Amino acid sequence: MSSRRVTVVGAGVVGLSIAHEFSLAGDTVTVIADRSAAESVSGVAAAVWFPYRSGASVSLMSWLVRSRTRFEQLAADHATGVDLRQGVVVERHPGADRTWTAAVPDHREADLGDLPLGAVAGVRATVPVISISHYLPWLLKRCEDLDVRFVRRTVARVDDLAGEADLVVVAAGLRSGDLLDDDTMFPVRGQVVRLANPGITAWVTDDDNPDGLTYVVPRREDIVCGGVAGVGSWDTEVDPETERAILRRATALMPALAGLPVLSRDAGLRPARDTIRLEHVEEHAVPVIACYGHGGSGVTLSWGCAEAVVDLAGPA
Ligand SMILES: Cc1cc2nc3c(=O)[nH]c(=O)nc-3n(C[C@H](O)[C@H](O)[C@H](O)COP(=O)(O)OP(=O)(O)OC[C@H]3O[C@@H](n4cnc5c(N)ncnc54)[C@H](O)[C@@H]3O)c2cc1C
């Protein structure tokens, strides 16, 4: 019996994870994409496991738990680029949303004395931090080892794939809507500056900082400092004034950053939607499943959503 032919449109972190899972399940998998993960917004991600601008999906908690569990397993293998690191979520208002803590076994109330001026509380937690320049090549190689086939081309219409696939998964990030006549996608612009890492491991997020969204994510070779959340902005240029402001806020949070050399800088568009779309899409010449709209949480949710897509597809 020949195996089901699954074509995944998109080679970002979401598409690669889905391809990996279908291949493990025994399907014959092709990934079609016009950009590699490193050339996509997946290469810009900070990438700390944390739900940020991921919409209001009812399955969010399940995807968070499944992803965290997978990343935790991957952290046992140094080659993956995944590490479990402790850090702190700063809260600026009483009653901040802590639902995410249900997905994190190792968390506790932060000591107020460890928090910046203006914070009212905080949560100290251990979560996966993904050194993306190690992780994406590792994930790509895993897919290749599982015989996933890669084709570099632009897909104009999903129906064009009808002859070559039994199932198409659209995981094309911000451009997914173009393929499925869905106009609910919108960009949320982000900008980061990466500093040399002298050995810092503790991360910090301060989303409600009155001077602007701020996070510091130390990875293996660099420290990612962000950020901005430009809703509706399509601008992918790095803005020097924004970078200076990011560095000022990040250094105020973590004074040890002062004077560290800048390694690189980047801007990218988070593929946002009010709710992540993970469902069958009817009325195409081929069965289609959509998996997109992960906002600022595409890495965080990648494994959980990939597992859910394979569950939704059912057996071949
Ligand atoms: C500054 C910044 C910081 C971030 N930090 C984090 C973080 O700490 N944690 C976290 O979880 N997330 C973070 N994110 C969000 C994360 O980067 C995204 O949610 C995630 O990368 C989305 O992955 P994706 O695979 O859906 O899309 P993408 O990475 O954009 O990949 C899309 C793929 O689809 C392909 N494609 C699209 N249309 C077509 C077509 N018509 N034909 C062929 N191929 C097509 C592209 O070529 C590409 O391969 C951050 C984002 C930014 C900008």
Side-chain angles (χ1 to χ4, degrees), residues 205-288:
T205 69
D206 188 8
D207 289 5
D208 294 328
N209 187 317
D211 296 326
L213 165 69
T214 310
Y215 53 86
V216 178
V217 181
R219 306 189 296 196
R220 292 206 183 146
E221 279 93 25
D222 58 14
I223 303 173
V224 185
C225 302
V228 287
V231 177
S233 169
W234 291 90
D235 181 5
T236 53
E237 295 299 311
V238 169
D239 174 49
E241 181 46 46
T242 301
E243 179 174 310
R244 282 190 284 276
I246 288 172
L247 283 173
R248 269 196 303 274
R249 297 197 302 273
T251 308
L253 272 187
M254 202 182 277
L257 301 181
L260 292 177
V262 172
L263 297 182
S264 59
R265 38 181 65 89
D266 225 332
L269 308 179
R270 300 175 182 92
R273 200 171 181 272
D274 287 346
T275 52
I276 290 169
R277 188 174 193 197
L278 198 162
E279 62 184 8
H280 286 288
V281 184
E282 307 297 335
E283 293 175 14
H284 284 277
V286 57
V288 175

Side-chain angles (χ1 to χ4, degrees), residues 67-100:
S67 266
R68 192 203 35 79
T69 306
R70 291 291 289 272
F71 279 122
E72 209 166 282
Q73 290 160 356
L74 293 178
D77 177 1
H78 186 79
T80 61
V82 180
D83 297 295
L84 299 178
R85 296 196 158 172
Q86 202 186 77
V88 70
V89 176
V90 175
E91 295 174 347
R92 298 272 177 175
H93 309 287
D97 178 8
R98 288 190 179 183
T99 46
W100 63 274

Side-chain angles (χ1 to χ4, degrees), residues 9-15 32-36 40-42 44-48 153-155 171-173 175 179 190-192 215 268-271 294-300:
V9 183
V13 71
V14 174
I32 304 181
D34 51 13
R35 285 182 212 152
S36 70
S40 309
V41 73
S42 295
V44 182
V48 60
R153 78 167 202 251
T154 302
V155 175
R175 289 187 288 149
L179 290 169
Q191 183 173 326
V192 293
Y215 53 86
L269 308 179
R270 300 175 182 92
H294 296 83
S297 307
V299 182
T300 303

Side-chain angles (χ1 to χ4, degrees), residues 115-187:
L115 298 172
L117 210 62
V120 297
V123 180
R124 192 164 283 284
T126 303
V127 302
V129 171
I130 295 107
S131 289
I132 210 83
S133 62
H134 292 263
Y135 181 69
L136 293 176
W138 172 85
L139 182 56
L140 182 65
K141 172 83 168 46
R142 276 283 298 169
C143 289
E144 286 168 349
D145 290 348
L146 288 167
D147 289 332
V148 173
R149 194 168 71 95
F150 286 88
V151 178
R152 192 161 181 128
R153 78 167 202 251
T154 302
V155 175
R157 291 162 8 111
V158 164
D159 288 355
D160 295 345
L161 304 172
E164 58 189 270
D166 303 313
L167 171 67
V168 172
V169 181
V170 175
L174 192 53
R175 289 187 288 149
S176 299
D178 300 346
L179 290 169
L180 295 176
D181 289 331
D182 174 4
D183 62 5
T184 59
M185 293 291 296
F186 58 94

Side-chain angles (χ1 to χ4, degrees), residues 48-62:
V48 60
W49 178 101
F50 194 77
Y52 176 69
R53 285 192 177 261
S54 46
S57 310
V58 286
S59 304
L60 192 65
M61 187 51 67
S62 144

